[in-house]
Each structure stands twice: as structure tokens, then as C-alpha cells.
Amino acid sequence: MRHCIPCCPVGEHDDCQVVFVNAHGVDVGHCTLPNSKGDEVRTCSVAGRTLVVPGLLSGVVYLVDLDADVTALASQPAVRTVTPQVLTQPFECVAAPEGDEVYVSCKGGLLVVKGDGSIVEHTSSQVTLSGGITVSAGGAYIAQTTWADADSWRHGHVQRDVARGKYGSTLCVWRRDALAGDGREGQLAHAVDLGVEGVAPLAVRLWETEGGGLAGYVACCPIGNVFYVWTDGVRLHHVKCIEFPKRLVEGRRVPSMPTGLEMSADGTFLFVALWLEGEVRQYDVSTPSSPILVGLLARPHVGAPFTPATLAFRQPGAAELLLSTGFLRAWHTQLCEEAAEGALYLRCIPSHVQGHGYALAPLAVDPLFRYTAPGYRCMRPAVIP
């Protein structure tokens, strides 16, 4: 099994890269994304034999040929780019469960990238900004958030931009089987405004419930709230279920930064990455609207600054959580400069109790899977089947 890790340079004068590592975090190849100086990458996903990497600032989507020989470090796999005609500001991507296409969240709608590199644009007037994206557990829905305008987040955290409308507050949900093949204006299955306490929704996780319903969680960064969302068969409802306190940074109070979410396979535990706080929190969500904190991983001694930005299970149903430490360049420089030089990947393994799921105990870190990249920030990995 290999992982691809998108990496952003600390400065703006080098190109972004994708690094390929084995199960032990050993570098087995890499490629440079051409003409990517000043760009940022955040996620990557696999469609067929193509690696899809959205360029956050350039507006292009990088396509890497996975059939190229990346085991030879001197080789450079074929990389090409595609540029949407209508949609702008690609931000995050997620692979379809079947592995044949990738969905990219954009300002203005949803971009679908096929395994052959062709694209289809689905527009919606309700998707006013780009943000996080996920496919529901069950595969029937795609959810994307309206996080922020690139002209705002590229300059770091500016609190007054919240009041200026530079951050969104809407969760948008598409039915996968209703996406038109020709990419015309799409009809969302659901769209809900999370209100003033739900400004800047970033990370989202959804699952399907009995009777064709939906439920899930949305993390708002930098507001510092988590919302539980659910359908009653007709509408999508929401309620704030977690509120994180503000933190003192250089003499000023800064909101918490819940930048990543993940759900356990059995749906009983929610994991939240608090990037600025350097914590991963584990919640019992047996009562979904009232999460109970039961586990905590707080700034472990791992030989590097610990700033967990995203969470992802290594494989569906697996026990290991992969943590990435890289966030956006300007935010690192402004709020967490110590983590800018180099980055770190870890396996975060929730403890087990006699084989009955996850333990109500502190999380443990296994440093077996580790990759350091001096001068680069490592972002969320993808698994190459």
C-alpha cells in the first residue's frame, strides 16, 4: 500500500510536490507540480489511475499519471492540468466509493473529475464559496461547505472578514444519482444556513440513516463550533453540539480551530482535530446531539510541533487514523509559525477494549508511520489502491 502526500512549500518561491510513501513512511518517489510556485494544495484523491490535486490559488486541477514509475526519484511522472470554465477556487476533493471519479468542491458548485481526466461542472447558485467536501457513508450523497473566499483566507485569519461576509455559513448536499451528466445547473437535495454561530463551516462528515435520511457533523473554523445536522425526511436541521473556548495568542483571544473531523466505522465516536490547540479529541456520540468527550491526544512528544489539521482513517473500517499537520501558509505564519518548518504524519490509534470498538481512554500515537519534510507542510494523504 502506498500513500500520496500533497506538500506545500513554506515559502512562495518553490513548487508544490506530491510525495509517495510506503506503509512505514519511507519516501519511495515524488513529483513536482509544474508551474505551481505561489500555489497551495490541500488534498488529493485517486480516480482510476489518475491522482487529482486541486490548486487552491491557481484555480487549476493537477492530474498526475499513477502508472508512471515514481520509485526512481529522478523520474518525473506526467502531470497535466485542467481548468474549469465556470467554477472557480477549487479547494478540497474526495474520491467516489467506486474509485472511478473524484469530486472537487469549488466556488459555484461541484466539479467531477473522471478517471480519464475529463471534467464535468455542476453549478448551483447556493454554493457561493468553496470549502470542505465529503461523500456520505453509504455513498448516496455528496456534501460541501461554503467556507471562505480565497481573497480572504490567503492573507491569514482576519476576524473582521467574518462580519464582512468573506466566510459562508451554508451546508450544501447533492444526490449522486441526480447529478446531470452534461453538467447543467444542479438541484441540491438539501441546503441549510447554519446561522451566525455556524459561520465558516469547513470540515464535514455525513452518514445515511434508515428511511433515506441523513445525519452528520460540521466543524466551523475559526468560529470554533461543531454542529450536528440531520433530516426529518423533508428538511435538513441543525443544532450546535460542541463549542470550543477561545485561546490567547500573542496577547489576543483567537477562536479555536476545529479543522478536521472523522467518524468511527460503527458511528459511535467522533474525532475532532484542533489545529491551533495541538489536540485530537474523541467524543462518544451515542446521543448524536450531545457528544461526550472521552479521549484526548494533547501535544504528544513526537519530535516535532504537533498541529493536527486533518483526520482520515487509513482505509474504510480501519482502526488507524492518519493525521496531517499542514494547514494554509498564511495561517501557519500568523498563528503557528513553529510548525511551518517541516511537517509530520502519524498514525493515531484509538485504544480498544476487549475487541468491542474504541475505548473510552486517551488516544495513543504510534510513530511507525511518519514522514518529515523540512521546508514543506504535509497535507491530507490519499491511499493508492
Side-chain angles (χ1 to χ4, degrees):
M1 179 187 299
R2 288 187 299 164
H3 294 82
C4 351
I5 303 175
C7 296
C8 291
V10 172
E12 300 182 7
H13 305 295
D14 294 307
D15 288 311
C16 300
Q17 293 189 352
V18 175
V19 177
F20 299 87
V21 301
N22 63 19
H24 301 288
V26 177
D27 188 332
V28 296
H30 69 276
C31 71
T32 298
L33 301 180
N35 303 314
S36 60
K37 289 182 175 65
D39 203 357
E40 294 208 42
V41 294
R42 175 171 166 80
T43 58
C44 62
S45 298
V46 177
R49 298 302 301 164
T50 299
L51 181 69
V52 178
V53 189
L56 278 62
L57 295 177
S58 65
V60 307
V61 177
Y62 303 95
L63 305 177
V64 182
D65 179 11
L66 291 177
D67 287 326
D69 180 15
V70 298
T71 59
L73 295 181
S75 69
Q76 174 64 34
V79 182
R80 62 189 181 94
T81 61
V82 293
T83 304
Q85 297 300 304
V86 178
L87 303 179
T88 60
Q89 298 186 18
F91 190 75
E92 281 191 3
C93 62
V94 64
E98 300 82 6
D100 58 341
E101 57 189 20
V102 166
Y103 308 113
V104 183
S105 65
C106 297
K107 181 178 181 178
L110 180 71
L111 179 69
V112 181
V113 183
K114 305 291 186 179
D116 61 2
S118 61
I119 61 175
V120 180
E121 300 179 56
H122 299 280
T123 61
S124 172
S125 58
Q126 293 174 284
V127 186
T128 56
L129 297 167
S130 57
I133 190 168
T134 191
V135 174
S136 61
Y141 296 89
I142 305 166
Q144 62 182 118
T145 65
T146 57
W147 184 55
D149 189 278
D151 288 338
S152 178
W153 63 252
R154 70 186 301 170
H155 300 298
H157 168 56
V158 181
Q159 185 62 33
R160 62 178 179 271
D161 280 350
V162 175
R164 291 176 175 176
K166 295 294 184 70
Y167 291 90
S169 58
T170 305
L171 174 65
C172 302
V173 181
W174 308 76
R175 279 197 64 92
R176 287 182 64 211
D177 59 9
L179 292 175
D182 58 4
R184 62 176 181 267
E185 171 81 15
Q187 179 65 43
L188 295 177
H190 300 283
V192 60
D193 190 329
L194 300 176
V196 294
E197 292 189 302
V199 172
L202 177 57
V204 57
R205 289 293 182 269
L206 288 184
W207 64 91
E208 295 157 33
T209 58
E210 294 182 4
L214 274 177
Y217 293 96
V218 183
C220 301
C221 170
I223 297 299
N225 296 329
V226 176
F227 282 80
Y228 172 60
V229 298
W230 75 98
T231 58
D232 59 4
V234 179
R235 296 178 53 210
L236 189 63
H237 301 271
H238 65 281
V239 63
K240 184 176 69 175
C241 61
I242 304 174
E243 181 176 357
F244 297 107
K246 291 186 177 181
R247 174 180 172 169
L248 195 65
V249 177
E250 295 183 352
R252 63 190 182 99
R253 296 184 65 80
V254 176
S256 292
M257 304 283 179
T259 54
L261 293 178
E262 190 56 281
M263 289 291 300
S264 62
D266 59 7
T268 58
F269 289 96
L270 171 70
F271 301 90
V272 182
L274 293 174
W275 173 71
L276 188 58
E277 288 80 353
E279 296 179 356
V280 176
R281 297 192 177 195
Q282 177 184 2
Y283 292 87
D284 183 338
V285 290
S286 301
T287 303
S289 60
S290 301
I292 300 173
L293 180 64
V294 295
L296 178 66
L297 175 63
R299 296 193 179 276
H301 297 289
V302 292
F306 185 69
T307 54
T310 65
L311 301 171
F313 278 103
R314 196 170 197 176
Q315 290 179 308
E320 301 100 340
L321 275 171
L322 292 180
L323 308 180
S324 66
T325 58
F327 197 41
L328 304 170
R329 180 187 295 120
W331 294 57
H332 269 285
T333 302
Q334 177 189 13
L335 300 171
C336 198
E337 193 168 2
E338 66 174 356
E341 292 294 335
L344 177 69
Y345 271 99
L346 303 166
R347 287 193 306 171
C348 173
I349 305 178
S351 302
H352 286 70
V353 175
Q354 299 177 354
H356 298 293
Y358 298 96
L360 310 187
L363 304 177
V365 168
D366 178 357
L368 174 64
F369 181 76
R370 168 185 284 187
Y371 178 73
T372 57
Y376 282 83
R377 291 168 291 116
C378 292
M379 313 305 277
R380 193 178 75 190
V383 175
I384 303 178

